[in-house]
């Protein structure tokens, strides 16, 4: 069946460091992947997406890498800031969006 | 352009009552999705609707839950005879096509 999982439930980094959040997926039919950021008490906020015909996509301070061979997705945040503290979810879509459990990122000043 | 609107933001119901959650999609979006989130969990897909049609309800419990997206007005998620296990945050998302989904702030349902 479909499953999207995260390797680490929590991640703590120092302000200014780079953060890497990892995600594994199992549905090889998934053709679209998204990273969302969710702050406490709020709805998920779109960060960046990538289609299965790509292996890398860059945004402002964020990069998503897709390795279809090992079914692995990662989100890299450059120069992490306190405002980046949140729970980050990866999601994959074949017919519907399937969310992973989330990684809580804490940025220490 | 206003984002996805959900109301109420917080809803308290006693066991056996009905809960109605409303979602107004972003302007121009005709795809609406409902998700449920338990504390410390990811979002679980419930139902996908387009105007007047249910496209995919594979995540909806078979009983007590229903959803609609009428031609006019917001999408409604209805939970009849609520039980304590229905307590959760319910999020609505909308999209223009089937890709990027924009989420609302959620409705936090508490069943006492």
């Amino acid at each position: 069946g479909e499953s999207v999982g995260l390797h680490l439930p929590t991640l703590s980094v120092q302000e200014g460091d780079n953060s890497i959040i990892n995600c594994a997926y199992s549905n090889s039919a998934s053709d679209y992947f998204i990273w969302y950021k969710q702050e406490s008490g709020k709805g998920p906020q779109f960060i960046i997406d990538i289609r299965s015909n790509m292996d890398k996509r860059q945004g402002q301070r964020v990069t998503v890498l897709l390795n279809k061979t090992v079914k692995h997705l990662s989100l890299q945040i450059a120069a992490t800031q306190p405002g980046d503290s949140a729970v980050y979810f990866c999601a994959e879509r074949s017919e519907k969006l399937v969310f992973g459990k989330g990684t809580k990122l804490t940025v220490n000043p | 352009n206003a984002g996805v609107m959900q109301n109420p933001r917080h809803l308290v119901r006693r066991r056996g009552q009905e809960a109605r959650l409303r979602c107004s999609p972003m302007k121009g979006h005709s795809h609406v999705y409902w998700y449920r989130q338990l504390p410390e969990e990811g979002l679980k897909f419930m139902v996908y609707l387009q105007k007047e049609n249910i496209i995919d309800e594979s995540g909806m419990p078979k009983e007590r839950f229903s959803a609609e997206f009428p031609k006019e007005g917001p999408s409604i998620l209805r939970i009849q005879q609520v039980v304590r296990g229905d307590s959760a945050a319910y999020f609505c998302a909308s999209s223009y096509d089937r890709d990027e989904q924009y989420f609302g702030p959620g409705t936090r349902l508490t069943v006492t």
Side-chain angles (χ1 to χ4, degrees), chain A residues 2-73:
Chain A
E2 297 177 343
S3 69
V4 180
L6 295 174
H7 295 308
L8 295 173
T10 61
L11 178 65
S12 185
V13 300
Q14 291 299 121
E15 182 177 357
D17 286 353
N18 296 331
S19 303
I20 299 176
I21 302 172
N22 295 304
C23 179
Y25 66 95
S26 61
N27 188 352
S28 56
S30 294
D31 62 353
Y32 181 61
F33 303 86
I34 313 108
W35 281 99
Y36 284 95
K37 172 186 179 183
Q38 187 176 27
E39 296 174 281
S40 181
K42 296 183 179 180
Q45 176 186 359
F46 174 92
I47 301 173
I48 192 168
D49 60 359
I50 188 168
R51 297 189 183 280
S52 59
N53 61 353
M54 303 171 68
D55 54 20
K56 180 179 180 179
R57 189 158 189 232
Q58 287 185 294
Q60 187 177 14
R61 282 203 306 120
V62 294
T63 301
V64 55
L65 299 177
L66 175 62
N67 185 331
K68 293 180 287 294
T69 303
V70 295
K71 297 192 183 70
H72 184 267
L73 193 68

Side-chain angles (χ1 to χ4, degrees), chain B residues 10-81:
Chain B
H10 300 274
L11 182 61
V12 179
R13 285 286 179 266
R14 291 181 177 167
R15 279 179 297 170
Q17 291 184 320
E18 178 179 288
R20 280 188 178 232
L21 287 62
R22 285 175 289 277
C23 169
S24 296
M26 287 181 68
K27 187 176 181 180
H29 287 191
S30 60
H31 303 255
V32 166
Y33 314 79
W34 286 94
Y35 296 85
R36 176 162 62 179
Q37 186 178 36
L38 296 172
E40 305 295 315
E41 296 281 337
L43 281 78
K44 293 289 193 292
F45 169 82
M46 299 181 74
V47 63
Y48 161 40
L49 310 102
Q50 286 186 279
K51 282 288 187 183
E52 300 184 277
N53 290 306
I54 296 174
I55 308 301
D56 181 351
E57 56 181 347
S58 58
M60 287 278 271
K62 293 286 185 272
E63 297 177 347
R64 301 188 298 108
F65 285 72
S66 63
E68 62 177 12
F69 188 16
K71 187 176 181 180
E72 300 292 336
S75 175
I76 306 287
L77 179 67
R78 182 182 177 202
I79 311 173
Q80 295 178 291
Q81 300 175 325

